[in-house]
Amino acid sequence: MTLYGYFRSGTSHRTRIALNLKGLDYDDIAINLAQDEQLEAAFRAINPQGLVPVLQADDLVLYQSPAILEWLEEAYPEHALLPEDAAGRMHVRALSAMIGCDIHPINNRRILQYLRHELAADEQQIIAWCNRWISEGFAALETRLAADKDRGQFCYGDTPSFADCYLIPQVSSARRFKVDLTPYPNIVAIDAHCRSLKAFVDADPMVQPDAPKHA
């Protein structure tokens, strides 16, 4: 398999985590979003939407990280990232969607570039924008996590799931945009536990081949 991604892309990050948790080997091809390589014809021939990640598995080209994670779960059921019961699967997918649908999209690079270049927002306004939506989303997520009395050290149960694949990249983004994480002790604890595990460590943006070495 070959993963087209970018070191700092949250969607690429969550896909790397899932691949690692499944114990799957893959080649990595960096698409430099900072230089708009995702908009060039060579990459648009792979994904007309011009977004990362893209996962190529033999002749199959997969796009959109939620669909990629679902495909990985179906194609490689070992080391399951979804619970066995329908209610549990719903819960994990809902936690994932709280991040993947309601927090990440309005803070991703395309949106921030529009705010910068079309609406002339300065960097303090960008940080304020990200703080607003990440904090609002994390407040709701923290409430959900706190209410689950059967939860272990992960977002759901005692093993990592889709929800953890989504959460850890979003915490990285929150720190990057100077979000105060003090009000979210459950999120912080899950993040700390996950970052002690090799699958998450190896997926971290700053250890990827395309990460700037001076950062």
Side-chain angles (χ1 to χ4, degrees):
M1 288 188 285
T2 300
L3 179 67
Y4 296 82
Y6 181 61
F7 79 102
R8 191 169 272 157
S9 156
T11 50
S12 300
H13 189 179
R14 72 176 67 134
T15 304
R16 292 194 301 266
I17 294 171
L19 286 162
N20 292 349
L21 287 169
K22 291 285 186 183
L24 299 172
D25 293 326
Y26 60 94
D27 295 322
D28 188 67
I29 295 180
I31 304 299
N32 192 326
L33 303 190
Q35 296 181 9
D36 289 330
E37 288 182 358
Q38 77 280 9
L39 303 179
E40 295 176 2
F43 184 69
R44 287 218 185 243
I46 299 169
N47 183 7
Q49 201 174 10
L51 298 175
V52 294
V54 170
L55 184 67
Q56 186 162 3
D58 296 323
D59 294 331
L60 183 63
V61 178
L62 299 104
Y63 51 95
Q64 288 289 341
S65 62
I68 294 173
L69 265 62
E70 292 282 356
W71 178 83
L72 288 170
E73 186 72 357
E74 293 181 16
Y76 300 93
E78 191 174 359
H79 307 299
L81 299 178
L82 286 173
E84 293 183 358
D85 63 297
R89 293 194 299 274
M90 180 285 301
H91 192 75
V92 166
R93 286 180 171 123
L95 293 174
S96 302
M98 289 177 72
I99 300 165
C101 297
D102 298 326
I103 301 176
H104 174 264
I106 52 178
N107 292 290
N108 71 15
R109 187 174 185 275
R110 289 191 304 163
I111 300 301
L112 301 187
Q113 289 294 83
Y114 181 85
L115 294 176
R116 289 183 180 107
H117 300 309
E118 301 296 329
L119 300 183
D122 62 30
E123 288 309 301
Q124 287 303 310
Q125 290 171 315
I126 294 295
I127 290 174
W129 171 277
C130 294
N131 265 263
R132 161 67 188 273
W133 300 116
I134 295 173
S135 297
E136 183 176 293
F138 272 11
L141 181 62
E142 178 72 17
T143 300
R144 287 286 186 188
L145 295 171
D148 183 359
K149 303 307 180 185
D150 296 324
R151 185 179 59 80
Q153 293 181 293
F154 298 96
C155 286
Y156 183 83
D158 297 306
T159 57
S161 70
F162 283 0
D164 304 288
C165 297
Y166 278 78
L167 177 62
I168 302 319
Q170 191 60 61
V171 174
S172 292
S173 179
R175 291 194 171 105
R176 182 183 171 203
F177 291 112
K178 302 179 174 60
V179 175
D180 179 11
L181 297 177
T182 306
Y184 319 117
N186 287 287
I187 289 174
V188 170
I190 293 167
D191 179 70
H193 178 65
C194 287
R195 289 180 191 274
S196 71
L197 305 176
K198 180 174 171 53
F200 290 87
V201 171
D202 290 348
D204 188 84
M206 299 316 298
V207 302
Q208 302 312 305
D210 58 321
K213 302 308 177 188
H214 63 275

